[in-house]
Amino acid sequence: MAAQTLANPSTPMTRDWRTPLELLVLGAIWGSSFLFMRIAAKPFGAFALVDIRLALGAIILLPFLWRDRAYISRAMWPKLAIIGVINSAIPFLLFAWAAQRSPAAIGAICNAMTVLFAALIGFLFFGEKIGTRRAIALLVGFAGVVLLATSKAGGLSVGMAVVAGSTAALLYGVGVNLVRRHLAGIPPAAAAAATLSCSALVLAPFAATHWPDHPIAPVAWGSAIAIGIVCTGYAFLLYYRLIQRIGPARAATVTYLVPLFGAAFAWMFLGEPVTPAMLGAGVLILGSVAFSQRKAG
């Protein structure tokens, strides 16, 4: 998810028995976000649901913003707003839009492309080396996206949903590079609170004009609240704690767990099937991410 964009590469790595459990919990939390979006996206619509998510996530993190407010000058707020829109508001909208039109597993699988897109954006615009290994991984990952986009789920084409989810992952990749270069001096939790708050304010007028005019079922309200409080606010805090303990590279391995939990939860609670095309695309995309992260021997 977007929280990966706020990692601090200088953090030392240590071992702790809690790490595997917390990685599993975080993977389950972020995987469940696609289930909750699938439940709540249609009743609320993308704008209202995403603004609820952003606002609740920001509220959970506001104490950290207050604690570290000295790190953020007044001149930085426009930059924080732009990064928030790129890194949170638009990707969340795209995933919510996709959730109205495709199984939850589709968005979860597309989300795994974030790591590869971050490398591609760094290479194209910021002069970072991509290397043969990552270039091959990108090609394999894109093959997985093509396989997913040309497949069908429940007899319906999911191509546009895959495009939306992949675009969201691309924007996360852009966000990774923007945060690394422009927000490096701000504590991660404070930066997350600031960008989420700005995004919530930017989307507020759209949420107001697109607010549903029909009653919302309790299960949809519960899902929307869970996305904001648990899958955004609490998940960011858990992720930052992992980064501090084991470093960003090992913490990012949670990427491999998100599609697995997303597909499993959708199958368990919504009865959405996992098709052979989803499995094939998932293997290609996750395999390419794993391959790109391996150190050359």
Side-chain angles (χ1 to χ4, degrees):
M1 304 286 282
Q4 296 173 8
T5 64
L6 299 173
N8 179 1
S10 63
T11 306
M13 294 191 299
T14 61
R15 293 184 178 274
D16 192 292
W17 65 269
R18 297 169 295 177
T19 296
L21 177 61
E22 291 187 354
L23 282 170
L24 196 67
V25 170
L26 185 59
I29 289 174
W30 275 338
S32 70
S33 68
F34 294 94
L35 166 68
F36 293 136
M37 275 191 286
R38 184 74 171 138
I39 294 171
K42 283 186 178 180
F44 278 99
F47 285 108
L49 176 61
V50 170
D51 205 44
I52 292 171
R53 176 180 187 176
L54 291 166
L56 291 177
I59 289 170
I60 296 299
L61 296 170
L62 278 179
F64 299 92
L65 178 60
W66 176 256
R67 183 192 66 187
D68 298 321
R69 62 190 182 280
Y71 290 89
I72 303 177
S73 65
R74 185 176 300 178
M76 292 186 69
W77 281 100
K79 186 181 295 184
L80 287 163
I82 293 171
I83 292 175
V85 169
I86 293 172
N87 195 44
S88 298
I90 298 177
F92 288 177
L93 284 170
L94 289 168
F95 276 126
W97 184 88
Q100 298 178 66
R101 294 161 174 82
S102 67
I106 298 295
I109 293 170
C110 291
N111 180 74
M113 285 293 294
T114 298
V115 175
L116 299 179
F117 278 130
L120 179 62
I121 295 299
F123 169 72
L124 292 176
F125 299 102
F126 297 102
E128 293 186 1
K129 294 182 179 180
I130 196 167
T132 304
R133 182 181 295 274
R134 285 191 173 181
I136 294 172
L138 278 165
L139 292 175
V140 175
F142 289 142
V145 170
V146 171
L147 174 60
L148 196 62
T150 54
S151 67
K152 291 187 176 182
L156 299 175
S157 174
V158 296
M160 291 308 299
V162 173
V163 170
S166 299
T167 304
L170 173 62
L171 289 172
Y172 284 159
V174 174
V176 169
N177 289 279
L178 292 178
V179 169
R180 285 175 181 168
R181 286 158 178 81
H182 299 287
L183 304 184
I186 304 176
T195 54
L196 290 174
S197 299
C198 290
S199 297
L201 291 173
V202 168
L203 280 190
F206 299 96
T209 56
H210 291 77
W211 195 264
D213 56 4
H214 53 268
I216 304 296
V219 66
W221 269 112
S223 296
I225 292 170
I227 295 172
I229 293 178
V230 180
C231 302
T232 305
Y234 174 71
F236 275 39
L237 295 179
L238 182 57
Y239 188 66
Y240 300 146
R241 187 164 66 184
L242 280 165
I243 289 170
Q244 291 175 348
R245 187 186 309 139
I246 64 176
R250 289 181 62 199
T253 59
V254 72
T255 303
Y256 310 137
L257 300 174
V258 174
L260 304 179
F261 278 109
F265 288 151
W267 172 72
M268 290 168 59
F269 297 108
L270 300 178
E272 294 183 350
V274 179
T275 66
M278 289 182 193
L279 288 173
V283 168
L284 287 172
I285 292 172
L286 292 177
S288 65
V289 172
F291 181 71
S292 72
Q293 298 295 96
R294 286 179 57 192
K295 294 181 179 180

